[in-house]
Amino acid sequence: MSRFLLHILFWVVYLLQDSLLQFLWVAPAIPQVPEGKAFVMAVMAGIAAGIPKMIFVYFILCFSMNRILKEGSRIWLEALYITLVFIVVLIFYRAVFSYYVYMNIYHGLLKPSPMFGGSSLMVALMDFGFVTGTAVTLHLLRKQLTSKEREKNLVKEKLETELKFLRNQTNPHFLFNTLNNIYVLARKKSDLTAEIVMKLSKLLRFMLYETSKTFIPVADEIKMLDDYLELEKIRYNDRLTITFEKEIDNGAYPLAPLLLLPFVENAFKHGVSESRFDSFIYIDIKLQEGRLTFRIENTKENGGAHPVTDNIGLGNVRRQLELMYKDYQLEVEDQHTLFKVYLTINLDSHAKI
């Protein structure tokens, strides 16, 4: 709802309650006037008396509040301005009652109170204090809620930017590894070079059009892993055994893109590529009722490889999991000749960034 409509609503609600109080106070004094007409008179009196109140309220909201909340403001000077304006509108308020409300709305049926009598000024002070205090409280509450919403949006934008950065960092990481493969085959003048370039173009097309999305179907992520494995098999076909098992009950389930690829990349970069002998990679993916289970194991030679738990790929995945899911578990086991990763994600627990 726009601020203008909120202000209209505030004054309508205030007018209704002020008119009701005016009616309850005045009606017993003019029993000869029907209740319906007496209430209409009270509403008209409330509208007339509301003009000086509105002037004072908007002076506070539009001028004094901004200066008071401003750092380095002189509070005593603002208090002086408020006092002077209040005196002026108070005179206006009492004049409205003395020369308009009693004479033109109630037509002399009510005995007018002294313009500056003690009880009259006390009632006016309470009247101004109530409406001004309510308006200022609502104004500060709205500013606080707006500030919190702005802060929330800034945090959201920051997290979205970080997530995009992580994914953009993964893409060059993957591309760098694959180009290394192509470079090796090109040095050997292998006939497989052209085929690898074609498969790489398919993967890059996927990364260009799909990874910008917040989620993609699990089936698309698995298809991308299949393509990547086919690409790597061309290079390591003579000494690598790959087992890829899948058990998916719903391939359309949404998954954050490129979440599983870094684990497979690591299996090649820190396992197969550093091994001089026969190697294996075992991958098992299960999806049952929204819970994804991903397990990958790969050989490594003589435990001589450096720890791989903190490299770019795994570090990015850890952070993406923190940003995207509330319910997940990631276990990394770096053994002497074997590297294992075990990941479970409740795909229904994705966080709203």
Side-chain angles (χ1 to χ4, degrees):
M1 188 180 296
S2 67
R3 289 180 61 184
F4 177 75
L5 291 179
L6 287 174
H7 282 246
I8 295 295
L9 179 62
F10 171 79
W11 286 110
V12 168
V13 172
Y14 174 75
L15 175 63
L16 289 176
Q17 72 87 30
D18 191 45
S19 300
L20 181 59
L21 291 176
Q22 182 83 214
F23 169 74
L24 294 175
W25 175 64
V26 170
I30 49 175
Q32 68 274 30
V33 178
E35 288 188 351
K37 186 176 180 181
F39 184 75
V40 172
M41 289 179 171
V43 172
M44 294 175 64
I47 293 173
I51 296 174
K53 297 176 192 176
M54 291 179 66
I55 294 174
F56 185 66
V57 165
Y58 284 110
F59 171 78
I60 296 293
L61 295 182
C62 300
F63 297 98
S64 293
M65 286 292 297
N66 292 334
R67 291 197 293 259
I68 289 173
L69 296 175
K70 188 176 180 180
E71 187 176 353
S73 63
R74 291 178 289 184
I75 304 298
W76 66 269
L77 185 59
E78 295 304 322
L80 179 60
Y81 289 151
I82 293 172
T83 302
L84 293 176
V85 172
F86 178 70
I87 292 173
V88 172
V89 294
L90 181 60
I91 295 173
F92 181 25
Y93 175 81
R94 290 304 305 152
V96 166
F97 267 97
S98 297
Y99 299 108
Y100 180 77
V101 173
Y102 291 129
M103 297 173 59
N104 295 284
I105 294 179
Y106 290 110
H107 306 290
L109 296 174
L110 289 176
K111 181 182 178 182
S113 59
M115 185 170 177
F116 297 109
S119 61
S120 299
L121 292 177
M122 184 62 66
V123 170
L125 184 62
M126 293 173 59
D127 209 3
F128 273 88
F130 173 75
V131 66
T132 306
T134 303
V136 169
T137 299
L138 293 175
H139 177 74
L140 292 176
L141 181 61
R142 185 190 63 81
K143 287 181 70 71
Q144 185 178 18
L145 292 175
T146 302
S147 178
K148 286 185 177 180
E149 186 66 24
R150 187 182 298 113
E151 182 180 351
K152 180 180 177 182
N153 289 335
L154 288 174
V155 172
K156 179 181 177 181
E157 291 175 7
K158 178 180 180 295
L159 293 178
E160 288 177 346
T161 301
E162 182 181 0
L163 190 59
K164 289 178 182 179
F165 170 76
L166 293 172
R167 288 177 182 169
N168 290 337
Q169 198 175 24
T170 298
N171 290 352
H173 187 240
F174 154 79
L175 181 61
F176 176 77
N177 292 341
T178 307
L179 288 176
N180 275 344
N181 296 345
I182 296 175
Y183 172 76
V184 172
L185 292 176
R187 286 287 302 268
K188 296 179 179 179
K189 302 187 185 305
S190 172
D191 295 335
L192 299 175
T193 305
E195 185 178 353
I196 286 187
V197 172
M198 180 60 66
K199 290 183 180 294
L200 176 60
S201 69
K202 289 176 59 180
L203 287 173
L204 291 179
R205 189 177 299 113
F206 171 86
M207 292 183 172
L208 179 63
Y209 293 107
E210 299 298 325
T211 58
S212 60
K213 301 176 181 178
T214 305
F215 298 102
I216 62 171
V218 170
D220 289 354
E221 181 84 0
I222 292 176
K223 176 63 170 59
M224 187 267 298
L225 293 180
D226 274 324
D227 291 341
Y228 179 77
L229 291 173
E230 287 298 319
L231 188 151
E232 292 286 10
K233 281 180 183 178
I234 295 174
R235 179 182 178 190
Y236 298 107
N237 188 49
D238 56 335
R239 59 182 179 87
L240 174 63
T241 301
I242 297 178
T243 304
F244 193 3
E245 297 182 354
K246 317 173 194 80
E247 187 179 334
I248 308 296
D249 63 1
N250 184 2
Y253 235 96
L255 173 72
L258 294 182
L259 202 60
L260 304 179
L261 177 62
F263 298 117
V264 181
E265 281 189 274
N266 278 322
F268 285 95
K269 181 178 180 181
H270 298 284
V272 180
S273 65
E274 296 180 353
S275 177
R276 295 166 295 175
F277 308 105
D278 291 347
S279 305
F280 78 85
I281 294 177
Y282 173 77
I283 305 173
D284 179 59
I285 297 181
K286 290 184 174 66
L287 177 61
Q288 296 178 340
E289 298 181 352
R291 182 164 289 274
L292 178 73
T293 303
F294 174 80
R295 182 159 64 98
I296 182 169
E297 300 178 4
N298 63 272
T299 51
K300 48 182 288 193
E301 188 169 333
N302 297 330
H306 297 292
V308 297
T309 55
D310 293 321
N311 60 52
I312 292 177
L314 289 181
N316 281 358
V317 174
R318 289 181 189 276
R319 183 56 180 157
Q320 288 188 58
L321 286 170
E322 292 175 2
L323 294 175
M324 297 297 296
Y325 295 100
K326 299 176 183 177
D327 182 12
Y328 72 91
Q329 184 176 5
L330 175 61
E331 297 178 1
V332 177
E333 189 174 343
D334 191 0
Q335 298 180 356
H336 188 66
T337 59
L338 197 64
F339 188 79
K340 299 180 181 180
V341 174
Y342 186 78
L343 172 66
T344 59
I345 308 175
N346 179 3
L347 298 183
D348 293 320
S349 71
H350 52 82
K352 294 182 180 179
I353 296 179

